[in-house]
Amino acid sequence: MVDPSSGVEKNSVTFSSLGLSDPLVKAVAEQQYTTPYPIQKEAIPPILRGKDILGIAKTGSGKTASFVLPILELFHRTKTVGGRYASVLVLVPTRELAGQVAGVFQELGVHLFPKVKTVAVYGGVSINPQMQAVYGADIIVATPGRLLDLLDQNALRLSDVEILVLDEADKMLELGFADEMDRIFDLLPKKRQTILFSATLGDAIQHINATLLRSPTKIEVVEEATNLDLIEQIAYKTEPERKGPLLRYLIKTGQMKQVLVFVSSTRTADNLVVKLNKNGIQAAAIHGQKGQNIRTDVLHQFKAGKLTVLVATDLLARGIDIQLLPYVINFELPRSPKDYVHRIGRTGRAEATGKAISLITPDDQHHFKIIQKKMGKRVEQIDTAELDLHGY
Ligand code: AMP
């Protein structure tokens, strides 16, 4: 994959020139990371020097590898492996992100010797296997609630933590984890390195910055503007009762092979999936009321191209890294313009272009105007009243 900014980069920075050793450089090459992304160029050197980091960046910027790589490098150089308690703690807002971030530690650490053990812990699944798994883990990637459960049950201690990472910190606060996070902060050793990533820099994040971080290196990656230019946006005007057939019509006639469809409720998600499947379109939903294993499985199938349509609610889709989606469809508009941009930003990443389609009912018109205004882009609207949807 090509980093869009690398075209204007004069001096060629490589992963090894950033200070990474051979086992990591090898793993990075196997993941087909050719050049470091801007955030990686900025974050890797100071993290290796032990600096705190305040990073303003979103999913898609390469932020995960920007902390995973230097942390693994520190293990390779000096950090003890195989102690009783973890020396790195990564806090994340959702179960999906926990699994994903732990996966990146495992993939990029594959050539390290001795092996660095990373374990993901999150709620919604039985705690017992996790109680065993955290024993002897070097890196723990956790959602705040489950981490506290494990601490309450004496399955682990935070006394050995040397590096704390807060990933998508704003999302953690938005999801109401502030109290849990404070409890966890109190249990951590005061002397440590803290790395914070957030998509936005609101008051609550400023507060964490002021209280937890020591003269951090500030890194900001603004990407949205370029992203939007890569996305072809279009809206179809429709009556609410024609939305289902219209969706199927668009998928079938557009011969779409991989579509992420956004809805606003779990119920709509399930209904939609039933109807799509009835009409011969392979679809599945992920939302908060599905068990963790099902969610992981569905995501896997979708990424592997075995499912045509993934129907999702905003919460679950956030932070999930599905690269280079050709199509995103807003079956229902999100409430906030920010979420709209976040949704459509799942297509048209890096050098690939994507298409974002919104189904707009007369009731949505006012809200859609606001979204377009906030985004600073007008979206063409096509009337579908005359369209024959018979048989869809
Ligand atoms: P993130 O922002 O951490 O969710 O990463 C977004 C995506 O970019 C992931 O799929 C990574 O595998 C990919 N990625 C991260 N760094 C690079 C890089 N330097 N070159 C190519 N792809 C990358």
Side-chain angles (χ1 to χ4, degrees), residues 1 15 33 35-37 40 58-64 321 323:
M1 202 179 299
F15 283 104
Y33 297 3
T35 13
Y37 280 177
Q40 293 157 0
K58 298 183 173 62
T59 306
S61 57
K63 68 178 164 65
T64 315
D321 167 44
Q323 277 295 288

Side-chain angles (χ1 to χ4, degrees), residues 51-255:
K51 292 273 297 172
D52 282 4
I53 300 286
L54 174 65
I56 305 302
K58 298 183 173 62
T59 306
S61 57
K63 68 178 164 65
T64 315
S66 81
F67 65 81
V68 167
L69 287 168
I71 287 174
L72 289 174
E73 176 67 29
L74 290 172
F75 273 103
H76 181 67
R77 289 186 193 174
T78 51
K79 280 177 134 353
T80 322
V81 172
R84 182 163 173 190
Y85 298 120
S87 57
V88 175
L89 172 66
V90 183
L91 288 182
V92 295
T94 63
R95 312 162 188 190
E96 276 72 20
L97 196 59
Q100 207 167 284
V101 170
V104 176
F105 272 109
Q106 281 150 2
E107 279 165 9
L108 295 178
V110 67
H111 297 301
L112 289 178
F113 189 81
K115 279 248 164 306
V116 178
K117 182 180 171 192
T118 306
V119 170
V121 295
Y122 41 79
V125 294
S126 159
I127 196 169
N128 293 335
Q130 295 180 357
M131 286 177 71
Q132 283 168 16
V134 291
Y135 188 87
D138 301 298
I139 301 170
I140 291 179
V141 185
T143 52
R146 177 50 63 96
L147 183 73
L148 284 172
D149 293 343
L150 288 160
L151 289 164
D152 288 343
Q153 305 223 22
N154 288 321
L156 83 155
R157 287 194 193 162
L158 300 181
S159 52
D160 292 353
V161 172
E162 293 168 12
I163 302 180
L164 167 70
V165 180
L166 303 173
D167 193 14
E168 303 201 359
D170 52 344
K171 191 70 207 165
M172 272 195 279
L173 294 169
E174 234 179 278
L175 291 176
F177 282 131
D179 291 346
E180 279 94 341
M181 286 160 74
D182 282 341
R183 266 189 68 197
I184 293 167
F185 297 156
D186 283 343
L187 294 170
L188 289 163
K190 295 284 163 284
K191 187 172 170 294
R192 56 150 204 270
Q193 183 176 7
T194 306
I195 298 165
L196 183 156
F197 279 104
S198 173
T200 54
L201 187 57
D203 289 347
I205 299 295
Q206 294 279 21
H207 177 73
I208 294 185
N209 176 25
T211 50
L212 290 191
L213 276 62
R214 296 157 308 152
S215 41
T217 301
K218 290 200 179 99
I219 298 170
E220 190 159 1
V221 179
V222 192
E223 266 205 325
E224 219 98 272
T226 25
N227 257 353
L228 279 182
D229 288 338
L230 292 170
I231 302 164
E232 186 190 337
Q233 296 186 59
I234 193 144
Y236 292 101
K237 292 200 263 189
T238 174
E239 290 302 321
E241 64 279 5
R242 275 166 58 95
K243 268 189 176 182
L246 178 60
L247 175 72
R248 298 188 288 274
Y249 170 90
L250 291 171
I251 293 172
K252 283 191 171 167
T253 57
Q255 296 177 350

